[in-house]
Amino acid sequence: MPNKTPISSVNDFVVRFANVNGSGSASANELFARSVLRMGVPVSPRNIFPSNIQGLPTWYEVRITEAGHLGARGGVDLMVAMNPQTWDKDIAMIEPGGYLFYDSTKPLPPSKFRSDITVIGVPLTAICNREYSDPRQRQLFKNIMYVGALSALLDMDVTAIEQLISEQFKGKEKLFDANKNALHLGRDWALLNLDFPIGLRLQRSDKVGDRIFVEGNSAAALGAVYGGATVCAWYPITPSSSLADAFTSYSRRLRVDPETKKNNVAIVQGEDELASIGIVVGAAWNGARAFTATSGPGISLMQEFLGLAYFAEIPAVLFDVQRAGPSTGMPTRTQQCDIISCAYASHGDTKHVLLFPEDPAETFDMAAQAFDLADRLQTPIFVMLDLDIGMNHRLCRPLTWDDARKYDRGKVMTAEMLDAGKEFGRYLDVDGDGIPYRTYPGTHPTKGAYFTRGTSRDRYARYTEEGAPYADNMQRLLRKFETAKDLAPRPLMANSDKPTRYGVIYYGSTSPAMDEANLTLKAAGKNLDLLRVRAFPFHHTVEDFIADHDFVFVVEQNRDAQLRSLIVNECGIDPARLVPILHYDGTPITARFIANAIGERLDALKVTPLRKVGA
Amino acid sequence: MTYITKPKFHHPSLPKNALGYTHRDYEGKVSTLCAGCGHDSITASIIEACFELAIEPHRVAKISGIGCSSKTTDYFLNASHGFNSVHGRMPSVLTGANLANRDLIYLGVSGDGDSASIGLGQFAHAMRRGVNMTYIVENNGVYGLTKGQFSATADRGSKSKRGLTNNDNAIDLVAMGLQLGATYVARAFSGDKTQLVPLIKAAIEHEGAALIDVISPCVAFNNHAGSTKSFDYVREHNEAVNRLDFISGRAPIHVSYDPGSTQVVEQHDGSRLVLKKVAADYDAHDRAGAMNFLAHHAAKGQIVTGLIFVDSEPEDLHRHFNTVDKPLNTLSEKELCPGSAALEKINASLR
Ligand SMILES: Cc1ncc(C[n+]2csc(CCOP(=O)(O)OP(=O)(O)O)c2C)c(N)n1
Ligand code: SF4
Ligand SMILES: [Mg+2]
């Protein structure tokens, strides 16, 4: 008996699986998470994996959350410790009163355990060795077997698990039977030998609704398919590779001409990121919708081309699935650390449009929208994902598409317009929005051809090194950037129901943790107005929001408060008004972290939230 | 530097090609290169080749990197779109452009610094991908635009104008092109228009990756006694494998050659190349043989020119990707967007 009361909770706890990379645990762990979902209980799973193919430790954390808090929570209530290498750290991570599930085949000395947790041993290896002779099967079925044992301990609906297995092995009866059998081996052993259920329990609920369970990278790929991308060029890099992979497999299904069986898409694995962005720039210059997917190191390599695309005004879409830098940093850990390197990518005076999706559903929307924005603004558009959104399954609203929607190809002058005598100046601002017309190569035998270059030119694309036309062009580019403020997704605001002098600005994958932290803070009497930034350049409401509050916390997942710097720089805000809340150890930010950090600072400001003067 | 336009005066008696275009219609802006620069001669040959082929000028996309050579895309085909991109990266830009619209003619112009130094990687990968293009390297063995530093094609032992000696081995782009799978590989000398024009024409008609390495002396920095890319040096060491005549599939021209000394090459699009052999038993269809031939002559200090290799059944990138016949840039939401019903199904599969 543990010397601390065991945690008791229904539909609200965290299970962490500690495994060895490449041991086949991933599908069993995902089966566990999906089974909980099938019981109508929201889950939020996260992969914590090494930059390695086989042998190093890997974890899969499932937050079970009836209340629907999809951010990481921090702490572990039930540890499924399947990796001797990380045993000590894993055990240490368990919350007091928590549970440890382990393979008890080999006896371990009492010093290996903790006295304040409940220890549950199942001789998984022994059962496997008894049941299977093939070493591969022993390994694989051990994973399914612990899912079976957990189903008994947590009082899970076993039919939901069986149903999932049958969907997974549709048409492969033998595999279905073998997996089901392994599931029951584990389950039956637990039912026979252990006390069940433990203090952590699952109960059917109806909190999942019609939501879907999808990775951000897949949603981005689908957004690119729906947004009309026809050229994709990429170079493999974690955590973005699965985006290009998903685009490839969705294209195989959705982009094959029904009659000719030919592809209306071209996907090139470039020799590096320079080539990838070069291919995108070439394709977009020539009127195709093109994109690349990469991560920080790739963005670094693309800098020169990004300046060209900015200056020569070529649409391009980039998905930056951010990982912890600098350099190779922590390539399999999450951060929001490329904000500045993307916003100001390249030499000279450059600024780029960034979009910050909070989850896969918004990633889908923004991915499709990015292609419209790129064409409309004739400039690179960055969709800023991160590993947390990109590579984890996330519960989110279903993806939607309006069939009446038309692609906005922007200001493209056609042969008809040229024949009708419309004046064409490639860099001529005809209506004040800073955006000129372009022509696609090959449009007209005698009109509309122009020379694209990274060197300075006048409004009619004629080479010049004179100061005035250069400055004129640079000013127009600024006007275009102003236009972008109104076209890009606006910030979303959620005001506290009580007046407050304090606000919070946050973005991207911080969203679910922030929402949850806000509830905690509110319960503690700390009221905050929230603003979620969804794009750079910042809409004027960001400045208004800051002006309306004494202090604004800027919550982000990097060391240098990059978004805060952008706000200070672009909006001319006194830095003292913006309090950075920074989380950058590579793990996803948690509600606990935010609530503590903001709570402490509010206390330090001696705050019991005061009524705003005049409010 | 200011922008100079050429007078647009069309003499009524100027000869017209099959489409009714005159030579003038293939010209570009006035060149700003040094007088006598080999690159200008190449420009003249490109204009001549396009005129003779009766290409619609606006159906060509001219793409280049950075350098004196790369600037020349502004000096021909005024009616076509040009893209002077970034140093060494023309191949990727051209590849992307080609993917977007397979119906245009892609003419890539680069320098030896652009292709063999900073851009060697992109050069190599465009060749091995089989992008349907004509890739002209205007090869002077120096960085002209940055004032005469050695490029990676400078021969070992050659001297710069400033008296420095190049100690590094030279890259032979022709040999690389052969090794990497280019399906049309030629070399010419900028000063030899009769050799160069048919080579360009055939390269344009070739439906695959066509490379022409054109030795093009830089009069400012590389046309002195110690240079192996000077006019005199090249003239003395030129070993032409063949003299090419080109017969377009669209407009057959009859040429008669001594049967004993010609070889007819049928290109994939129906056009024919007639090789007038100089070297006794040169076979332009043999990739391995061509590599040997090249190495053999290089050892003797000879520069092989002419059509060195051609594959008359080339495959290009679009064929590898099995892309639709319509240019990708013409597809609309009708072809590209799977619609809400398909999305509903996807949603259902994600529950
Ligand atoms: C990234 C980058 N590095 C360096 C330069 C400077 N630069 C311009 S042209 C050139 C060399 C061009 O040599 P080549 O391609 O042989 O052309 P040429 O002028 O000889 O025709 C260099 C180094 C540049 N434009 N960009
Ligand atoms: S510097 Fe050399 S390559 Fe450049 S224009 Fe002058 S002669 Fe030509
Ligand atoms: Mg050169």
Side-chain angles (χ1 to χ4, degrees), chain B residues 34-337:
Chain B
C34 306
C37 175
H39 299 349
D40 278 337
S41 312
I42 303 172
T43 297
S45 290
I46 292 173
I47 291 170
E48 183 62 32
C50 292
F51 170 77
E52 289 180 15
L53 276 180
I55 287 169
E56 290 178 281
H58 75 293
R59 302 303 292 170
V60 179
K62 321 167 283 187
I63 304 176
S64 56
I66 298 289
C68 297
S69 36
S70 292
K71 280 181 171 190
T72 62
T73 40
D74 207 13
Y75 311 147
F76 58 84
L77 299 186
N78 241 343
S80 68
H81 279 64
F83 195 164
N84 202 183
S85 62
V86 287
H87 194 22
R89 319 294 172 203
M90 173 275 279
S92 63
V93 175
L94 189 150
T95 301
N98 180 297
L99 289 174
N101 183 357
R102 61 189 303 169
D103 282 356
L104 299 184
I105 291 165
Y106 292 91
L107 187 52
V109 175
S110 179
D112 44 313
D114 206 54
S115 280
S117 300
I118 192 170
L120 188 63
Q122 295 219 337
F123 166 83
H125 291 280
M127 291 302 155
R128 56 180 276 272
R129 284 195 186 103
V131 183
N132 183 3
M133 62 182 169
T134 298
Y135 190 130
I136 297 177
V137 182
E138 309 195 339
N139 186 353
N140 53 16
V142 290
Y143 295 171
L145 195 58
T146 51
K147 301 198 189 304
Q149 300 84 358
F150 287 118
S151 85
T153 65
D155 286 301
R156 189 170 194 171
S158 62
K159 285 204 171 54
S160 79
K161 206 174 170 184
R162 289 176 202 155
L164 301 174
T165 305
N166 175 41
N167 296 314
D168 301 341
N169 282 317
I171 289 174
D172 182 352
L173 290 172
V174 163
M176 285 197 73
L178 283 171
Q179 199 275 326
L180 291 162
T183 45
Y184 179 107
V185 181
R187 177 147 47 209
F189 180 50
S190 64
D192 189 350
K193 224 175 151 180
T194 47
Q195 185 186 38
L196 181 54
V197 172
L199 282 175
I200 296 173
K201 286 164 71 180
I204 289 174
E205 297 274 292
H206 181 78
E207 293 180 2
L211 167 68
I212 311 177
D213 177 28
V214 190
I215 296 160
S216 173
C218 167
V219 292
F221 302 108
N222 212 9
N223 195 34
H224 47 87
S227 154
T228 55
K229 300 255 183 319
S230 66
F231 282 106
D232 292 342
Y233 185 92
V234 178
R235 280 212 188 91
E236 275 161 30
H237 295 77
N238 185 355
E239 168 73 21
V241 289
N242 44 42
R243 287 276 153 187
L244 190 66
D245 252 291
F246 175 73
I247 303 173
S248 170
R250 297 180 226 153
I253 315 157
H254 239 332
V255 278
S256 80
Y257 273 93
D258 183 352
S261 68
T262 61
Q263 178 188 345
V264 178
V265 178
E266 189 101 33
Q267 295 229 97
H268 191 247
D269 66 345
S271 59
R272 295 198 303 154
L273 311 175
V274 182
L275 301 180
K276 182 160 174 246
K277 287 197 185 178
V278 173
D281 48 2
Y282 191 75
D283 174 7
H285 283 97
D286 176 6
R287 194 184 283 274
M291 288 158 102
N292 278 335
F293 187 86
L294 212 60
H296 176 74
H297 284 272
K300 292 199 287 184
Q302 288 171 338
I303 303 156
V304 178
T305 62
L307 177 59
I308 293 162
F309 173 74
V310 63
D311 178 346
S312 32
E313 288 287 324
E315 279 195 8
D316 92 315
L317 192 55
H318 280 281
R319 184 131 152 233
H320 297 157
F321 286 156
N322 192 29
T323 41
V324 288
D325 297 340
K326 261 178 97 176
L328 292 176
N329 70 351
T330 62
L331 304 179
S332 68
E333 44 278 281
K334 198 170 125 284
E335 294 99 343
L336 298 177
C337 184

Side-chain angles (χ1 to χ4, degrees), chain A residues 45-122:
Chain A
R46 282 182 169 78
N47 287 296
I48 301 113
F49 60 99
S51 182
N52 163 266
I53 304 302
Q54 200 181 19
L56 286 189
T58 170
W59 294 269
Y60 186 73
E61 187 177 289
V62 183
R63 180 174 186 188
I64 293 156
T65 165
E66 168 109 20
H69 299 311
L70 302 180
R73 188 199 70 179
V76 174
D77 301 312
L78 166 59
M79 178 67 74
V80 180
M82 302 300 294
N83 185 359
Q85 274 175 281
T86 57
W87 177 273
D88 292 338
K89 259 172 72 185
D90 292 337
I91 304 303
M93 209 179 230
I94 302 169
E95 298 277 301
Y99 302 79
L100 165 69
F101 177 101
Y102 80 111
D103 180 354
S104 60
T105 304
K106 261 195 219 146
L108 288 170
S111 64
K112 282 289 189 189
F113 300 95
R114 264 168 54 186
S115 57
D116 61 341
I117 56 174
T118 304
V119 177
I120 305 159
V122 177

Side-chain angles (χ1 to χ4, degrees), chain A residues 213 226 263 271 286 403 407, chain B residues 97 106 129 322 329 333 339-340:
Chain A
F213 194 54
Y226 273 73
N263 302 315
E271 61 270 26
N286 211 1
D403 287 326
Y407 296 154
Chain B
Y106 292 91
R129 284 195 186 103
N322 192 29
N329 70 351
E333 44 278 281
S340 63

Side-chain angles (χ1 to χ4, degrees), chain A residues 536-589:
Chain A
F536 175 75
F538 304 117
H539 192 253
H540 70 83
T541 46
V542 175
E543 289 162 61
D544 298 347
F545 180 84
I546 297 167
D548 286 346
H549 296 88
D550 290 358
F551 290 100
V552 173
F553 298 99
V554 184
V555 184
E556 37 188 330
Q557 303 183 53
N558 57 62
R559 184 193 69 179
D560 290 347
Q562 297 190 20
L563 191 90
R564 177 176 172 274
S565 299
L566 266 192
I567 296 173
V568 168
N569 198 34
E570 295 288 327
C571 308
I573 305 284
D574 173 4
R577 311 252 325 273
L578 299 178
V579 184
I581 302 290
L582 305 170
H583 177 94
Y584 54 91
D585 67 2
T587 62
I589 196 167

Side-chain angles (χ1 to χ4, degrees), chain A residues 280-292:
Chain A
V280 168
V281 164
W285 171 75
N286 211 1
R289 293 194 146 183
F291 76 95
T292 186

